[in-house]
Amino acid sequence: MLMKTLKWRSEYKPDEIRWDEISGEAMTGKIYRSDYFDKSGRSILVMRPGCQNTKKSKGQIRYLVYCMENAILNLPAGQDQMVWLIDFAGFSLPNVSLLVTKLTADVLQGHYPERLGVAILYNAPKFFESFWKMASPLLEPKTKNKVKFVYSDRPETDKIMEDLFNMDELECAFGGRSPVTFNIDDYAARMREDDKKMPLLWSPENSALASEPYRMKNHGSQQCDSGLKTEETASDVIGETEAASEKSGETDTASDKEDTEAASEEREETETSSGKRGENATESVKEELTETVSEKKEETETESSTVKSTSSQGEGIASAGKSGSSSDP
């Protein structure tokens, strides 16, 4: 799975998808990341299949991948899963697509394993039950068990929402008390800001930030200060260690010093004798090199005389040849 995902990421390049590329898919708010988290600190992707505004599955899946990457970017430290809130308001048969469901399952299970914490299917219509029977076999049992059906007219399912979310932050559409609704302009501004952070998440130079993107977003300056303090602390520790080493050196015994001085004298005598031998060897090598250079010089002078003699003879032959010939063949 890892090898396949690495290949997929190198070809599909999900971390390079930007808002301006997929903004057309987002106009109706069919998928967006909420500006609040669940009680466990997990990112929340709100999905409204009834707001589908495009027909090509390629663009729909690419937008889904963009939303997945953005949700991961905004996960707090120590959290690696997200929540899907699927609102079926306005959902009808024309919105059903087994192909898109299969592609969604392939991407989720193949390239984002264990990223889904729970999926809430809110007020799914009756006819969806038949579709679910066909689609659920496409999911792995573990993924299938993360799907929860919640209905606003069934009080027994309200506890699921209360256990997962802060009801004051949760939108009214899901039984919460927040009147906030999706606004494309506000959302576009948020996504463009997040796009600027995405390269930092995957940059090798920012591996520490990449492991905690939520802190990268909210405590970037504090981390920088912390980094400086850490460097200063390390310098202080090194300084203290060096000082301790100096004190330790000063507390050596007198006998150790005498042994050291005696060893130094012996080493100096050895080096002196070695140096003399080295000088004798160097003078011997110099004499051999001088003799070799002299021999080569004599050979060069001999060759030069030979070449000059040969050149003079060649010039005489060439002059004779010119006097006996008037044109080229």
Side-chain angles (χ1 to χ4, degrees):
M1 286 180 68
L2 178 60
M3 293 300 294
K4 288 181 179 178
T5 293
L6 289 173
K7 184 175 185 297
W8 175 76
R9 293 193 73 90
S10 67
E11 296 173 352
Y12 199 80
K13 302 184 186 303
D15 53 301
E16 294 183 9
I17 304 174
R18 295 293 179 264
W19 172 256
D20 291 335
E21 177 189 341
I22 46 75
S23 58
E25 295 281 346
M27 298 302 294
T28 59
K30 63 183 178 184
I31 306 178
Y32 62 91
R33 180 180 61 80
S34 69
D35 58 357
Y36 56 91
F37 299 84
D38 79 338
K39 289 182 177 180
S40 299
R42 295 176 291 191
S43 297
I44 301 171
L45 286 183
V46 177
M47 302 182 177
R48 292 192 165 93
C51 296
Q52 183 60 263
N53 62 330
T54 59
K55 295 181 179 180
K56 293 184 178 180
S57 59
K58 182 179 179 181
Q60 294 171 11
I61 296 300
R62 195 155 179 82
Y63 180 52
L64 172 65
V65 169
Y66 173 81
C67 293
M68 292 288 292
E69 294 285 316
N70 183 267
I72 293 169
L73 174 71
N74 287 277
L75 285 171
Q79 183 57 263
D80 54 12
Q81 291 188 323
M82 65 188 74
V83 175
W84 286 9
L85 261 178
I86 307 175
D87 181 11
F88 281 90
F91 185 78
S92 59
L93 279 174
N95 298 128
V96 175
S97 173
L98 195 60
L99 172 62
V100 173
T101 302
K102 182 182 182 305
L103 292 174
T104 300
D106 290 344
V107 168
L108 179 65
Q109 296 175 158
H111 307 305
Y112 298 95
E114 293 305 312
R115 284 297 190 182
L116 179 64
V118 61
I120 302 296
L121 276 61
Y122 196 80
N123 286 338
K126 289 291 183 181
F127 68 83
F128 183 78
E129 294 178 4
S130 300
F131 174 74
W132 178 245
K133 289 179 180 179
M134 293 186 293
S136 57
L138 299 173
L139 304 176
E140 294 178 359
K142 196 171 184 179
T143 303
K144 183 179 177 181
N145 291 335
K146 295 176 180 179
V147 177
K148 309 294 181 185
F149 286 84
V150 176
Y151 298 92
S152 57
D153 58 351
R154 297 182 188 176
E156 65 273 15
T157 63
D158 289 344
K159 191 175 185 307
I160 296 176
M161 304 299 283
E162 292 173 358
D163 290 343
L164 286 172
F165 307 102
N166 182 332
M167 301 307 285
D168 290 330
E169 296 177 339
L170 188 65
E171 299 170 40
C172 293
F174 296 104
R177 292 186 282 273
S178 174
V180 177
T181 57
F182 177 77
N183 181 288
I184 185 61
D185 294 327
D186 294 342
Y187 192 66
R190 284 173 55 202
M191 293 302 101
R192 287 195 175 97
E193 286 300 313
D194 282 352
D195 283 352
K196 297 175 184 177
K197 302 168 190 170
M198 186 61 72
L200 290 176
L201 177 64
W202 294 101
S203 173
E205 291 78 14
N206 293 279
S207 58
L209 296 179
S211 64
E212 299 182 353
Y214 183 77
R215 289 188 179 184
M216 173 186 70
K217 173 185 175 184
N218 295 288
H219 308 292
S221 59
Q222 293 180 14
Q223 284 188 339
C224 292
D225 294 341
S226 176
L228 291 173
K229 289 179 181 178
T230 301
E231 290 179 0
E232 292 173 358
T233 303
S235 299
D236 293 341
V237 170
I238 292 171
E240 291 174 1
T241 303
E242 291 175 348
S245 298
E246 291 175 0
K247 289 181 180 179
S248 176
E250 292 173 358
T251 57
D252 288 340
T253 62
S255 59
D256 289 339
K257 290 183 179 179
E258 290 176 359
D259 292 342
T260 302
E261 290 174 358
S264 298
E265 290 176 0
E266 291 179 1
R267 185 166 59 253
E268 288 175 1
E269 291 176 0
T270 302
E271 289 175 352
T272 302
S273 59
S274 298
K276 289 180 179 178
R277 287 198 298 270
E279 289 175 1
N280 293 334
T282 303
E283 290 176 1
S284 178
V285 171
K286 285 181 178 179
E287 290 175 359
E288 291 178 1
L289 289 173
T290 303
E291 291 175 0
T292 304
V293 171
S294 298
E295 290 175 0
K296 288 187 176 181
K297 186 175 181 181
E298 291 175 1
E299 291 175 1
T300 303
E301 290 175 352
T302 303
E303 290 175 0
S304 177
S305 300
T306 304
V307 170
K308 287 181 179 179
S309 175
T310 304
S311 298
S312 300
Q313 293 175 4
E315 289 173 0
I317 294 170
S319 300
K322 285 183 180 180
S323 61
S325 174
S326 59
S327 63
D328 291 334

